[in-house]
Amino acid sequence: MPQNRFFEGLDMERFSIPLYRMRGYEPLAKSGSEVKQKKRVSNDKRCWVIVIGLIVTVCFLLGVTFAGGWSDGYSGKTFDQILSLEAALAKKKILDNIGPRIGALDGLVVASPSKGDKPYLPNYYFTWTRDSALVHSSLLSSFLPHAYLTSYAWSGPRKVDRTRHSNFKMNEDLIRAYIHSQDRIQSTTNPSGGFMDGGLNEPKFQVDGSPFRGDWGRPQRDGPALRALRLIPYAHFLLDRSYSLDVKYVQENLYDPQQVKVPGRIIKNDLEEVASGWMKHGFDLWEEVDGYHFFTLIVSMRALQAGAILASRLNDTGAETYYVQQAGSIGEKLEDFWDDEKGYYLSSLPKLPSKNSESSISLDIPNFPSREWQDCSMPLSLIHAGNQFDSANVQRYPNITFPVFGPTNPRVLATLDKYIKSFEGMYKINGGKNWTQGWALGRYKEDVYDGVGKSIASPWHICTNAIAQSFYLVQSQLYVEGSMDGFKVDFGFWSDIMKESVNFNDTERRTGDVNFDEAIVRLGEIGDGFLNVSRRAFEEGGKSMSEQIDRNNGNPRGARDLTWSYSSFVTAVRAREEAKALLGL
Ligand SMILES: *[C@@H]1O[C@H](CO)[C@@H](O)[C@H](O)[C@H]1NC(C)=O
Ligand SMILES: *[C@@H]1O[C@H](CO)[C@@H](O)[C@H](O)[C@H]1NC(C)=O
Ligand SMILES: *[C@@H]1O[C@H](CO)[C@@H](O)[C@H](O)[C@H]1NC(C)=O
Ligand SMILES: *[C@@H]1O[C@H](CO)[C@@H](O)[C@H](O)[C@H]1NC(C)=O
Ligand SMILES: *[C@@H]1O[C@H](CO)[C@@H](O)[C@H](O)[C@H]1NC(C)=O
């Protein structure tokens, strides 16, 4: 499977954009009557001034465009070519937000350069453990083969080709800088606690690695899990490359089987934290709701599955057993999020129901909000922790069943379907389009966060891209499976996608059937529709992506140059490339 074709051999200098330019933040346009008034008082001289002004502006804009290397813009380029260029640009934008070049500790990902210095920009000049792990994960496949990426289904060891990537050193320096920054963060006492008592779940730090002491929705338990998931593939890679310094590096910085929890062994520390703390409540990934969250739990389960395999590789058999048992217990809880009546997985619960009454984890959360719990965290769960078609390998732990949260699971599809449709009629920019043509999507329909404060929420790049990526995953998985049988809870999803859906209920469809083959193609087209909505910001928004897309006019909203927006785009484009390569398109 080809990886990151769009990054290899790419000359990054070509994409340097001289100036950061925002669209949409100019003062509001003059109202119609004001403009008319002006016209009445205008005379010939004024007209000339305006004409000359326009000419100067156009020349300036053209100059900037040429200097930015986008001289021929989009004309004559295929969608694939445009996406490749934009994904490379997005990767550059990600790198711009990491480490000293944005004023941060080496390796730390800054969420956004936005420091709150304008009323329409919030202060996101901090580092978040979750964002950092996801952002670094999006860079991972720039140098690690695909097989490393789903480390919870690891089937190595593998032979490492040490000469494969030209930009390998840069990437390895980057990940080591990240590792050392996370060592600093793990050992920093903060409002969530100290190294031994909960401090690893602190969501947010200053860009120099010192604690953030303001009020916040803390703790957030997905951080350690995502960081472990990010780093375990690198540990496997080092063990495979197996220079003595590689093995030493793993032992001294990532995982030392002789040590349970000591500063400096980042993966091991995170695994211990997750294994002993997943049953406690905490805030969701949007930092708003205290409770139990599907996303947090599924990434915790994956981290522990991956951790068990790494532990086994390092002969840490006690830890292996402990991690895999905890992962299994989380897996049992995940099914509790399924709501039979509503027909989708709820994204959060105020308590975790337990089958045996002695369990202490069914603590009720007071003030749990009233919501539908159809949430963007579900597609995020699928793309970051879902089963993938190439990861269904040997059953390593036959006595423990893990739920299959995969892209063709009817419950997963029903959940995605209901999440998408919950935005029906909400955003003007989706106009009269049907969802299958691609909508801009928000975090959840009850959202009121406008990017700075509370008013009326807009769609997010992350969520729109997560759905695009989900479609490429469904496409790949369905193609590999080669068949589908009658619709169940996912009827709504398929009936919008396939023609003649009435014929589908009780028959099995497989490769070669016209409708089946059409559906495969259609899934990719729908993914493209969503991806196209997000990438339009590049085309029209000064080559940048903010956090949100204004619901009325498509202008950027909220934190500018949000690092996570870029990484969500990069991973969606990569999933698209992988699907196309698989299907031979
Ligand atoms: C694990 O144990 C096996 C068998 O005793 C040994 O061959 C191997 O080198 C050990 N691996 C590590 C990483 O210690
Ligand atoms: C799995 O369960 C069976 C039956 O209870 C038991 O004999 C076997 O040892 C278990 N295997 C593992 C790997 O725990
Ligand atoms: C949306 O779908 C409906 C039903 O399939 C169709 O009648 C309508 O024309 C579509 N709208 C657009 C804008 O394509
Ligand atoms: C197919 O199944 C769905 C869901 O069970 C149902 O709503 C629909 O009416 C069925 N269609 C036909 C033609 O039986
Ligand atoms: C992307 O959107 C543009 C207009 O906004 C449209 O012209 C183009 O056909 C779309 N491309 C795809 C692949 O959907």
Side-chain angles (χ1 to χ4, degrees):
M1 184 148 302
Q3 304 104 32
N4 53 283
R5 277 183 285 161
F6 44 91
F7 293 148
E8 268 173 352
L10 199 96
D11 177 12
M12 280 304 190
E13 296 309 314
R14 266 189 59 213
F15 298 100
S16 63
I17 305 299
L19 280 174
Y20 172 70
R21 304 191 312 282
M22 287 300 288
R23 185 188 64 126
Y25 290 142
E26 293 86 12
L28 286 175
K30 301 259 187 319
S31 74
S33 62
E34 257 180 288
V35 172
K36 265 184 213 140
Q37 206 105 44
K38 266 200 163 167
K39 267 188 186 151
R40 252 177 255 134
V41 297
S42 73
N43 53 31
D44 282 350
K45 258 186 202 161
R46 237 198 178 116
C47 280
W48 276 113
V49 170
I50 289 167
V51 167
I52 289 167
L54 275 175
I55 290 171
V56 169
T57 309
V58 166
C59 289
F60 172 73
L61 285 177
L62 280 175
V64 171
T65 309
F66 275 99
W70 289 88
S71 49
D72 47 6
Y74 292 89
S75 62
K77 291 211 167 60
T78 63
F79 194 58
D80 289 18
Q81 289 167 330
I82 291 172
L83 289 176
S84 296
L85 288 169
E86 288 175 340
L89 174 65
K91 190 185 176 195
K92 185 203 167 286
K93 296 281 200 167
I94 291 171
L95 297 176
D96 283 346
N97 284 356
I98 301 178
R101 77 175 93 173
I102 188 167
L105 182 70
D106 207 8
L108 276 190
V109 177
V110 175
S112 153
S114 180
K115 292 182 185 171
D117 37 12
K118 299 265 167 49
Y120 50 79
L121 292 176
N123 187 0
Y124 277 31
Y125 191 67
F126 296 96
T127 184
W128 270 263
T129 304
R130 167 185 41 258
D131 296 35
S132 302
L134 292 176
V135 165
H136 272 287
S137 294
S138 75
L139 302 175
L140 192 65
S141 50
S142 297
F143 80 115
L144 289 192
H146 190 273
Y148 285 91
L149 305 184
T150 46
S151 52
Y152 44 86
W154 174 249
S155 58
R158 301 177 168 268
K159 239 182 118 131
V160 166
D161 175 359
R162 293 174 186 142
T163 58
R164 219 175 141 258
H165 296 278
S166 54
N167 56 357
F168 193 92
K169 174 145 188 342
M170 185 195 84
N171 284 299
E172 192 157 27
D173 287 350
L174 190 66
I175 186 172
R176 290 198 177 200
Y178 171 61
I179 288 168
H180 295 295
S181 74
Q182 297 308 298
D183 174 21
R184 164 85 170 266
I185 277 186
Q186 276 192 349
S187 5
T188 300
T189 299
N190 59 62
S192 290
F195 174 70
M196 294 303 283
D197 61 349
L200 268 55
N201 301 301
E202 174 70 2
K204 168 180 173 182
F205 289 82
Q206 308 283 354
V207 303
D208 63 357
S210 63
F212 165 74
R213 302 202 177 278
D215 277 347
W216 210 249
R218 58 168 72 92
Q220 294 174 21
R221 301 183 185 281
D222 54 343
L226 290 168
R227 183 164 52 203
L229 280 173
R230 164 65 186 92
L231 291 176
I232 287 171
Y234 183 57
H236 279 300
F237 170 80
L238 290 177
L239 295 171
D240 285 346
R241 194 168 62 181
S242 72
Y243 288 122
S244 61
L245 282 177
D246 287 335
V247 176
K248 192 159 172 266
Y249 186 88
V250 171
Q251 196 182 61
E252 290 181 354
N253 298 281
L254 300 174
Y255 193 125
D256 178 359
Q258 306 306 318
Q259 310 276 356
V260 178
K261 207 171 175 186
V262 294
R265 311 297 193 278
I266 300 173
I267 294 176
K268 179 75 172 164
N269 294 338
D270 281 338
L271 292 172
E272 289 295 316
E273 184 67 45
V274 174
S276 64
W278 65 265
M279 66 296 289
K280 298 177 192 160
H281 57 96
F283 280 80
D284 69 329
L285 80 171
W286 311 129
E287 323 196 276
E288 296 170 337
V289 178
D290 193 7
Y292 295 92
H293 315 288
F294 190 94
F295 176 79
T296 305
L297 287 170
I298 196 169
V299 299
S300 299
M301 178 182 84
R302 293 310 189 194
L304 292 174
Q305 283 180 276
I309 297 170
L310 181 63
S312 145
R313 198 170 179 191
L314 294 167
N315 290 344
D316 195 1
T317 50
E320 178 188 12
T321 308
Y322 175 47
Y323 296 157
V324 80
Q325 280 170 349
Q326 294 304 309
S329 303
I330 300 174
E332 286 171 20
K333 297 291 172 202
L334 287 177
E335 278 313 303
D336 292 337
F337 286 75
W338 176 256
D339 186 319
D340 235 343
E341 225 165 86
K342 293 184 190 284
Y344 56 86
Y345 282 107
L346 305 172
S347 57
S348 293
L349 291 174
K351 61 180 179 180
L352 284 187
S354 54
K355 288 181 189 86
N356 48 1
S357 53
E358 78 244 47
S359 168
S360 63
I361 58 179
S362 49
L363 189 86
D364 257 302
I365 304 291
N367 307 321
F368 193 72
S370 169
R371 267 171 44 185
E372 293 295 324
W373 304 111
Q374 293 166 317
D375 192 293
C376 165
S377 63
M378 300 314 290
L380 289 171
S381 297
L382 177 65
I383 66 176
H384 294 299
N387 297 72
Q388 295 201 9
F389 57 88
D390 55 354
S391 66
N393 51 22
V394 277
Q395 179 88 4
R396 213 178 259 261
Y397 305 103
N399 289 0
I400 298 180
T401 15
F402 296 102
V404 177
F405 190 81
T408 55
N409 176 338
R411 289 186 167 190
V412 173
L413 294 178
T415 304
L416 298 184
D417 179 53
K418 300 228 162 76
Y419 158 72
I420 295 170
K421 289 176 186 164
S422 72
F423 294 96
E424 176 98 55
M426 272 191 72
Y427 303 135
K428 191 171 157 205
I429 48 164
N430 292 334
K433 285 197 292 182
N434 284 326
W435 74 265
T436 49
Q437 296 168 290
W439 282 351
L441 297 171
R443 300 190 299 178
Y444 52 91
K445 70 174 180 188
E446 301 91 343
D447 196 2
V448 294
Y449 177 60
D450 62 15
V452 183
K454 287 183 178 174
S455 64
I456 186 160
S458 277
W460 285 46
H461 284 287
I462 298 168
C463 300
T464 308
N465 287 329
I467 281 294
Q469 184 168 350
S470 299
F471 271 90
Y472 303 129
L473 295 179
V474 179
Q475 185 187 35
S476 298
Q477 173 80 34
L478 191 62
Y479 179 80
V480 167
E481 287 172 4
S483 71
M484 64 202 296
D485 53 8
F487 299 126
K488 302 170 191 84
V489 290
D490 51 348
F491 179 77
F493 180 85
W494 292 114
S495 61
D496 286 357
I497 291 177
M498 300 169 93
K499 286 187 194 148
E500 300 172 56
S501 53
V502 282
N503 299 331
F504 272 73
N505 268 14
D506 300 312
T507 41
E508 189 187 87
R509 295 280 148 177
R510 48 180 63 257
T511 314
D513 294 350
V514 172
N515 281 323
F516 182 88
D517 293 346
E518 240 177 51
I520 300 257
V521 173
R522 210 55 201 107
L523 288 163
E525 289 168 356
I526 295 170
D528 286 356
F530 283 94
L531 193 62
N532 202 13
V533 168
S534 171
R535 63 149 288 280
R536 212 160 295 146
F538 272 132
E539 194 167 343
E540 296 172 4
K543 308 282 175 254
S544 84
M545 267 184 196
S546 53
E547 178 188 73
Q548 305 182 21
I549 307 165
D550 189 286
R551 52 154 64 206
N552 293 316
N553 53 28
N555 286 349
R557 270 205 89 84
R560 68 177 173 91
D561 289 291
L562 190 80
T563 323
W564 190 1
S565 292
Y566 291 126
S567 72
S568 72
F569 180 73
V570 166
T571 54
V573 173
R574 185 176 298 125
R576 180 180 187 274
E577 290 220 330
E578 287 172 359
K580 290 194 90 158
L582 180 73
L583 271 65
L585 293 174

